[in-house]
Amino acid sequence: MPVIRLVCFLLIIALSSTSALAAIEPASERSEGEGPYDRLILRGATLINSTGAPPKGPVDIVIRDNRIEDIHVVGYPGVEIDPEGRPEAGEDDRVLDLEGMYVLPGFVDMHAHIGGAAQGTPADYVFKLWMGHGITTIRDPGSFNGLDWVLEHKEKSGANEITAPRIQAYAGFGMDHDGPITTERQARRWVRGMDRRGADGFKFFGAPPKVLRAAIEEANDRGLGTAQHHAQLEVGRANVLDTARWGLDTMEHWYGLPEALFEDRTLQDYRRDYNYQNEYHRFSEAGKLWKQAAEPGSEHWQAVRDELIELGLTLNPTLTIYEANRDFMAQRRAEWHEYYTLPALWDFFEPDRRAHGSYWFDWSTQDEINWKENYRLWMQFLNDYKNHGGRVTVGSDSGYIYKLYGFGYIQELELLQEAGFHPLEVIRAATLHGAEALGMDDEIGSVEPGKLADLVVVEENPLENFKVLFGTGAIRVDEQNQLKRVGGVRYTIKDGIIFDAEQLRADVRDMVEAAKEEAGVERLKQPASEY
């Protein structure tokens, strides 16, 4: 039976800020990847550049050192490419033949916790799953391994000393070395201190309104990012309309948004025996929340939508992290768990009354029905927000609720398509809009000359089926009626360095196999090559 400790969020935040938290095993020195090269030419791919333009190809992409130098259209689909019209490769140039493949910008995960000690997930495991799925930039909201630990890995990743995405480190707000932050002065002092230490921004769960507002305003004055999970313990005092008016940059998940849409109440209709410490109460009751909000398209719905857009608030919904709520068995038995989920992480996922996000004490058919309706309304708002000019980004929050790093991110792409986003809009949310929200769009987020060479290469067209981006690929039947798997990211290019994404995923499978053997967990009979 798994033994998992539930640590309250304020304690986690306090420890992450003071670097007293027991961090996970750090990343090892990089031994993967080729480059960067003085000159690298990617030949013959179809380009999805993420600016809103449709795909085009074949193109040759010229990369010098770690930046995109030029993009050449070199022919037409179905027509043999004339070599005379292609950029010429010198003797020392590296050429990568990508004919028939697709190139996209590197993905940005806006809600990416770097594992945790309770999960038993070493940094290499987490980083390689992300890089193996084309994720080249992450924002760690809360820096729960300790801010200094995350900043150290940010620096190493920036120097390409480790195999890891670029990292934005957001410190968790709640306590300082003197205890809970209870005054505006303390809040501003704490923000200034985190700024000096190198934090890129802050994640809030809630606080007394004056304190929260002071912290957000101080962060804005210093050009630092702000994100908030409007936790139920505090959302009654400040919902997303309040925090957006104070200058909040991004809202995480969806808490705080239905509350801003209330018309006939001011608080959620909690069951009379509700207890926030009961995880089943928290998540089952949350599944009824969107039904309590204003009707889609109503005057209040539109007024809230329009004001949030005008205020510039970015929605980072993390739909994927709640997906088990509407189909528990499907997420618990997702095929990748067998070869990619560490035994310790599997134990962390299992039901436990003491553990956050492990609330499967008696999850019912009615709970799933409630959550399906919750998703329908939530998705309607997201699509409406996007259609009226609001920014929606992609975050996974993996490591909880049966969501695995990398795989959960691709599921988020599928869920945005389900919400009504065109696949090109999904890719833009996953790349350029994430870069914009982080203030990094001058460097990453689209495939354009002058930007950093952060790219994803896949052999199949992801716009036709996002499942080809999963590390396990997509299942097809060929012309001989034989079952086969296709897809999986082929190469992840970060800073002009070519990483074999298939090998990164194989490394993770080896880690899991070794951990299972050590733990005495019986292996499945299917060959690993299928995955």
Side-chain angles (χ1 to χ4, degrees), residues 188-202:
R188 291 182 180 277
R189 183 183 67 187
W190 182 88
V191 169
R192 291 194 294 269
M194 293 298 107
D195 185 16
R196 287 192 295 270
R197 286 176 58 185
D200 296 299
F202 309 100

Side-chain angles (χ1 to χ4, degrees), residues 125 336-342 404 407 505 509 512 531:
Y125 170 82
W336 42 78
H337 287 310
E338 305 296 348
Y339 282 100
Y340 288 96
T341 301
L342 287 168
L404 190 57
F407 291 95
R505 298 193 299 271
R509 292 198 301 270
V512 172
Y531 296 89

Side-chain angles (χ1 to χ4, degrees), residues 251-308:
M251 68 161 289
E252 307 304 297
H253 316 306
W254 54 278
Y255 307 104
L257 184 50
E259 289 87 347
L261 291 164
F262 286 165
E263 290 183 296
D264 61 350
R265 68 197 68 219
T266 61
L267 295 175
Q268 178 180 340
D269 184 17
Y270 294 106
R271 57 189 288 174
R272 300 310 183 258
D273 64 342
Y274 185 97
N275 188 327
Y276 185 77
Q277 288 300 100
N278 183 320
E279 288 287 287
Y280 174 77
H281 285 183
R282 287 182 59 189
F283 285 90
S284 62
E285 289 296 292
K288 306 171 186 176
L289 189 49
W290 272 97
K291 288 270 292 186
Q292 300 169 41
E295 287 287 328
S298 65
E299 184 176 343
H300 187 53
W301 169 290
Q302 294 182 52
V304 171
R305 177 201 67 201
D306 293 345
E307 183 174 356
L308 292 177

Side-chain angles (χ1 to χ4, degrees), residues 132-177:
H133 284 86
I135 298 164
T136 55
T137 300
I138 64 110
R139 178 181 64 170
D140 186 339
S143 299
F144 293 157
N145 288 301
L147 180 60
D148 290 342
W149 188 96
V150 176
L151 289 172
E152 178 186 353
H153 282 74
K154 173 187 175 178
E155 182 178 357
K156 288 181 177 179
S157 174
N160 294 308
E161 296 172 0
I162 57 176
T163 299
R166 303 178 190 280
I167 298 171
Q168 288 279 290
Y170 276 41
F173 179 85
M175 300 181 75
D176 64 13
H177 61 277

Side-chain angles (χ1 to χ4, degrees), residues 361-375:
F361 314 151
D362 188 14
W363 201 253
S364 69
T365 301
Q366 188 59 53
D367 288 323
E368 293 191 352
I369 292 169
N370 292 341
W371 268 94
K372 287 172 183 175
E373 178 66 5
N374 220 37
Y375 265 79

Side-chain angles (χ1 to χ4, degrees), residues 117-424:
Q119 298 175 0
T121 48
D124 284 340
Y125 170 82
V126 178
F127 288 151
K128 287 188 176 184
L129 277 173
W130 280 332
M131 293 282 284
H133 284 86
I135 298 164
T136 55
T137 300
I138 64 110
R139 178 181 64 170
D140 186 339
S143 299
F144 293 157
N145 288 301
L147 180 60
D148 290 342
W149 188 96
V150 176
L151 289 172
E152 178 186 353
H153 282 74
K154 173 187 175 178
E155 182 178 357
K156 288 181 177 179
S157 174
N160 294 308
E161 296 172 0
I162 57 176
T163 299
R166 303 178 190 280
I167 298 171
Q168 288 279 290
Y170 276 41
F173 179 85
M175 300 181 75
D176 64 13
H177 61 277
D178 294 327
I181 299 172
T182 59
T183 69
E184 296 165 79
R185 182 179 179 184
Q186 275 183 298
R188 291 182 180 277
R189 183 183 67 187
W190 182 88
V191 169
R192 291 194 294 269
M194 293 298 107
D195 185 16
R196 287 192 295 270
R197 286 176 58 185
D200 296 299
F202 309 100
K203 181 183 180 182
F204 304 96
F205 288 94
K210 289 183 179 180
V211 173
L212 180 58
R213 180 173 185 170
I216 292 173
E217 289 178 347
E218 185 69 28
N220 286 336
D221 289 345
R222 293 175 171 272
L224 301 172
T226 54
Q228 183 158 340
H229 168 167
H230 295 75
Q232 286 137 315
L233 290 175
E234 293 290 349
V235 71
R237 296 200 283 184
N239 63 43
V240 70
L241 263 181
D242 299 310
T243 54
R245 288 165 178 164
W246 301 337
L248 184 71
D249 293 327
T250 73
M251 68 161 289
E252 307 304 297
H253 316 306
W254 54 278
Y255 307 104
L257 184 50
E259 289 87 347
L261 291 164
F262 286 165
E263 290 183 296
D264 61 350
R265 68 197 68 219
T266 61
L267 295 175
Q268 178 180 340
D269 184 17
Y270 294 106
R271 57 189 288 174
R272 300 310 183 258
D273 64 342
Y274 185 97
N275 188 327
Y276 185 77
Q277 288 300 100
N278 183 320
E279 288 287 287
Y280 174 77
H281 285 183
R282 287 182 59 189
F283 285 90
S284 62
E285 289 296 292
K288 306 171 186 176
L289 189 49
W290 272 97
K291 288 270 292 186
Q292 300 169 41
E295 287 287 328
S298 65
E299 184 176 343
H300 187 53
W301 169 290
Q302 294 182 52
V304 171
R305 177 201 67 201
D306 293 345
E307 183 174 356
L308 292 177
I309 292 172
E310 184 178 356
L311 291 167
L313 183 75
T314 294
L315 305 186
N316 188 47
T318 71
L319 292 148
T320 183
I321 197 60
Y322 306 102
E323 197 173 5
N325 294 352
R326 63 178 189 166
D327 194 343
F328 172 53
M329 285 186 284
Q331 299 309 311
R332 186 174 185 269
R333 298 307 304 163
E335 62 181 357
W336 42 78
H337 287 310
E338 305 296 348
Y339 282 100
Y340 288 96
T341 301
L342 287 168
L345 183 55
W346 181 257
D347 287 346
F348 182 83
F349 288 150
E350 291 286 71
D352 190 309
R353 292 187 183 276
R354 299 162 295 177
H356 174 57
S358 297
Y359 44 87
W360 317 106
F361 314 151
D362 188 14
W363 201 253
S364 69
T365 301
Q366 188 59 53
D367 288 323
E368 293 191 352
I369 292 169
N370 292 341
W371 268 94
K372 287 172 183 175
E373 178 66 5
N374 220 37
Y375 265 79
R376 184 184 70 83
L377 296 168
W378 180 16
M379 287 177 164
Q380 195 166 342
F381 189 91
L382 291 173
N383 198 41
D384 196 28
Y385 198 77
K386 175 262 298 179
N387 287 341
H388 285 82
R391 183 189 296 128
V392 179
T393 57
V394 175
S396 68
D397 198 14
S398 295
Y400 301 92
I401 316 179
Y402 296 103
K403 287 297 172 174
L404 190 57
Y405 306 99
F407 291 95
Y409 186 88
I410 306 306
Q411 288 185 293
E412 183 76 358
L413 305 185
E414 293 188 299
L415 288 164
L416 285 178
Q417 183 175 355
E418 181 184 338
F421 287 48
H422 186 282
L424 282 171

Side-chain angles (χ1 to χ4, degrees), residues 449-511:
K451 289 197 172 184
L452 292 170
D454 285 11
L455 306 169
V456 181
V457 179
V458 61
E459 294 174 341
E460 303 286 327
N461 183 357
L463 301 179
E464 293 182 335
N465 185 3
F466 283 127
K467 293 186 189 301
V468 302
L469 294 170
F470 284 125
T472 45
I475 295 174
R476 287 190 189 158
V477 175
D478 64 18
E479 294 178 357
Q480 287 73 46
N481 200 36
Q482 297 298 307
L483 180 71
K484 65 176 183 178
R485 287 183 182 268
V486 299
V489 172
R490 183 66 191 89
Y491 300 106
T492 298
I493 301 176
K494 178 206 165 199
D495 239 6
I497 299 172
I498 305 168
F499 292 90
D500 184 333
E502 291 181 353
Q503 183 58 53
L504 295 179
R505 298 193 299 271
D507 291 347
V508 172
R509 292 198 301 270
D510 289 344
M511 293 181 205

